[in-house]
Amino acid sequence: MSKLINSINEAIKQSGLKSGMTISFHHHLRNGDFVMNAVVDEIAKLGIKDITINASSFFDAHAPIIEHIKNGVVSGLECSYMSGRIGVAVSSGILDKPVIFRSHGGRPADIISGKSHIDVAFVAAPTADKMGNCSGKYGPSACGALGYAFADAMHADHVVVITDNLVPYPLSDFSINETYIDAVVKVDKIGDPAGIVSGTTKITRDPVGLVMADYAAQTIKHSGLLKDGFSFQTGAGGASLAAANYLKDIMLAEKIKGSYGMGGITKYMVDMLVAGCFHTLIDVQCFDLDAVNSLRTNPGHREVTASHYASPIAKSAAVDNLDVVILGATEIDLDFNVNVHTDSSGVIMGGSGGHNDTAAGSKIAMIIAPLVRARLPLISDKVLCVTTPGKTVDILVTQRGIAVNPNRPELLANLKGTGLPIMDMRDLQKLALGITGTPKPITRGKKVVAEVIYRDGTKIDEIMQVI
Amino acid sequence: MEIKAKSFAGTLESSDVFVEVSPNSGRKINLESVVLAQFGDDITRVVNEVLDSFKVDNIAITLKDRGALECTIRARVETAIRRQEGK
């Protein structure tokens, strides 16, 4: 028996896909993904219209989808993150229906509960066998973990695996197994390795970033949480990686044995695992080749589903035991609400990803960001879009000062007398405005282009059209 | 001051502004900025202030702003004007 189908076109026909249905994709091939565009091109050729795409993320590589929105093939988008030209086009109002944004934990929760139904899931797989056992750890387009693809594969009505590396049955080290898979298609290439994972992710050399990283590491050191069993997540931004690197030095010097590092995993988290800072890495997606290699070879480096990572409806998720998470922000306001959905002009350039999941689960959610970026102050009276509610954000670290959320008096007490530049949020805002001048409020259109769904399923904000 | 030759100052790096000046009849300001919505009026006012202070009435000045602070804009405009003096 074999589930092999000759082409994407035939697999779509066999799936029974009809106008008005929902299809899904994961984003582990990131900006190197060829699969979404290839599938939607074939759907267009078959004359199918009014399709909703539920993808864990959209990147600039998916700009051809804009044409398929204009020609009526695609009428709805749902995701956790959206960047590049597609974010600009959506912000200008090309869709009649608002985009639905969910967090990395909220997306699988809604798929599993049935709130968000997927008719046909297309799973890009760097390695697969003829029955659909598949993995991201091997093959010319290896991406490492496939964490975001599990809920789609396990709960869609019909599941098509698309691979460029077909191996003899059975693939032993599979991530997603054949019991969920209806069809397998072999194509020449599922992606461009240069866009899938970076050769290496790099820590910042920018002095402003290094100051922020140092403050972040010192803050964690004095937080009261840095002791045996410590758990930690950080993003792949240059300053966050530098903070992780400083933290590693502190943990090694003080002989602290942490429990787990989590996230999008990079070389720096792998180095911390190897050095003994953690006994486990919990990996929902890999950002560089070192992470992919480590996931393949180190038993302490474990792939998890997006649901295990961050689901708000699972019996438990790994975010629930997180001590400290370092997160970014395009804007933060006086109530500590954070925006990572839009830039300061209101144009969509991101999304929660795991931002509001980890902020809610962690004991300390730390935002690190420069006080001023290209004349725009980080701190506003009210953010243009609330991604993460301020009640779950504990501390802001900038190069000029650190603000502690007033709802965390014990954290403030731990940081007193450490020499760290603790300031009131309002004073930090005044400092920024003294440098930049006061920006004129931007004018936005009346049309809602996106709805932001918080991890608990409630609508936390709307994004308005940019005019 | 009279603008007799073309001249430049600044870069296209983030937080900088690239300024180009050339001879013209009357004052013509051409502004492109990543923060046009937030600071466009401010930037035009600052450019006019610098031109006034050097008594430059006939000039075509183009600014490609990447989010420069006011002090940077003043310095780049002044430099562009004074660089062409020696030419």
Side-chain angles (χ1 to χ4, degrees), chain A residues 373-387:
Chain A
R373 279 192 195 97
R375 206 179 175 175
L376 293 168
L378 173 70
I379 305 164
S380 61
D381 291 343
K382 176 94 188 69
V383 287
L384 291 176
C385 172
V386 178
T387 304

Side-chain angles (χ1 to χ4, degrees), chain A residues 361-423:
Chain A
S362 62
K363 294 196 182 78
I364 293 179
M366 175 191 292
I367 305 297
I368 77 173
L371 192 61
V372 174
R373 279 192 195 97
R375 206 179 175 175
L376 293 168
L378 173 70
I379 305 164
S380 61
D381 291 343
K382 176 94 188 69
V383 287
L384 291 176
C385 172
V386 178
T387 304
T388 298
K391 63 175 190 230
T392 64
V393 173
D394 303 299
I395 187 164
L396 167 68
V397 174
T398 74
Q399 78 275 28
R400 299 293 291 269
I402 298 172
V404 180
N405 192 324
N407 71 11
R408 297 301 307 275
E410 77 295 354
L411 177 59
L412 184 63
N414 284 339
L415 298 177
K416 280 259 165 74
T418 57
L420 287 166
I422 307 296
M423 289 174 71

Side-chain angles (χ1 to χ4, degrees), chain A residues 344-345 372-377 435-442, chain B residues 14-15 34-35 37-39 41-43 66-70 73:
Chain A
S344 300
S345 301
V372 174
R373 279 192 195 97
R375 206 179 175 175
L376 293 168
I435 297 167
T436 62
T438 303
K440 253 197 345 206
I442 60 159
Chain B
S14 178
S15 304
V34 293
V35 291
Q38 293 92 345
F39 291 106
D41 296 345
D42 253 25
I43 296 168
R66 297 290 183 263
L69 298 177
E70 186 176 316
I73 297 167

Side-chain angles (χ1 to χ4, degrees), chain A residues 25 215 273 439 465:
Chain A
F25 300 90
Y215 286 163
L273 175 70
Q465 184 178 16

